[in-house]
Amino acid sequence: MTSEPERGPAPAAALTDGAAARWAALPAEVRERVDAELGQERYARAFGLLREADSSIGIPLGRAIIEGRLPPAPPDPLADAEALTGRVAGVDGPVLAVEAVRSAEGVELTVTGADGRQVLTVVDAGTAARYLRPGEPADGRPPAEAAAEWLGRQAAAALGVPFRGVGGG
């Protein structure tokens, strides 16, 4: 059974020292079954397997093991879009559009107002993964471009203004 990278269990190194030692002491087949249950988001079943294998694992330790095996929660892209629109408060005059423009650093998200253009943020290859699912974009665009377009469209919609992507669309 394989699990998706963003939802699969985290490596054991994410466990606290005490929980990591108890995890390592469990038989390999138990660890595999627990990880499989966690990959399916069946936390109670995973805890039950831990207790079956070692009845001295109580709720606090079981919870520490389970939480240590889970990947960290991904950042909320919509919260990032809201934070981006919050930066518009520093722009003089009304905002006319949100634009995505290629730059040496990646793709700049800018707002255009009566006094010109102001950079709000830069999306690069490293930050693009926050806004894209594994394998996106399917259309062959660079990840930074696709991610900046997604974020820019969210910000433009929140501001009620048009969005102009890297290609002008």
Side-chain angles (χ1 to χ4, degrees):
M1 168 189 271
T2 60
S3 59
E4 298 172 325
E6 73 276 10
R7 301 185 92 192
L15 297 170
T16 62
D17 291 341
R22 293 296 283 277
W23 174 254
L26 294 170
E29 69 268 4
V30 171
R31 293 192 311 261
E32 288 172 13
R33 289 177 59 204
V34 168
D35 279 348
E37 295 298 336
L38 293 175
Q40 297 295 314
E41 298 182 4
R42 295 190 289 237
Y43 310 114
R45 290 177 102 181
F47 178 74
L49 290 170
L50 290 173
R51 292 275 301 165
E52 280 179 30
D54 182 347
S55 62
S56 70
I57 294 177
I59 292 174
L61 180 57
R63 181 176 179 169
I65 291 171
I66 288 170
E67 287 177 353
R69 298 297 300 161
L70 296 174
D76 181 3
L78 289 176
D80 288 347
E82 290 171 9
L84 188 65
T85 58
R87 292 185 195 163
V88 174
V91 175
D92 290 332
V95 173
L96 305 174
V98 175
E99 297 180 75
V101 180
R102 282 188 199 103
S103 73
E105 294 83 28
V107 179
E108 295 177 348
L109 282 177
T110 66
V111 291
T112 302
D115 293 337
R117 186 180 295 171
Q118 179 178 333
V119 176
L120 294 176
T121 192
V122 176
V123 178
D124 61 18
T127 58
R130 294 173 61 169
Y131 308 107
L132 302 174
R133 290 189 235 45
E136 282 186 328
D139 60 7
R141 289 182 295 160
E145 189 176 305
E149 182 171 313
W150 182 89
L151 186 58
R153 287 189 188 286
Q154 300 299 315
L159 294 167
V161 298
F163 172 74
R164 293 187 201 115
V166 172

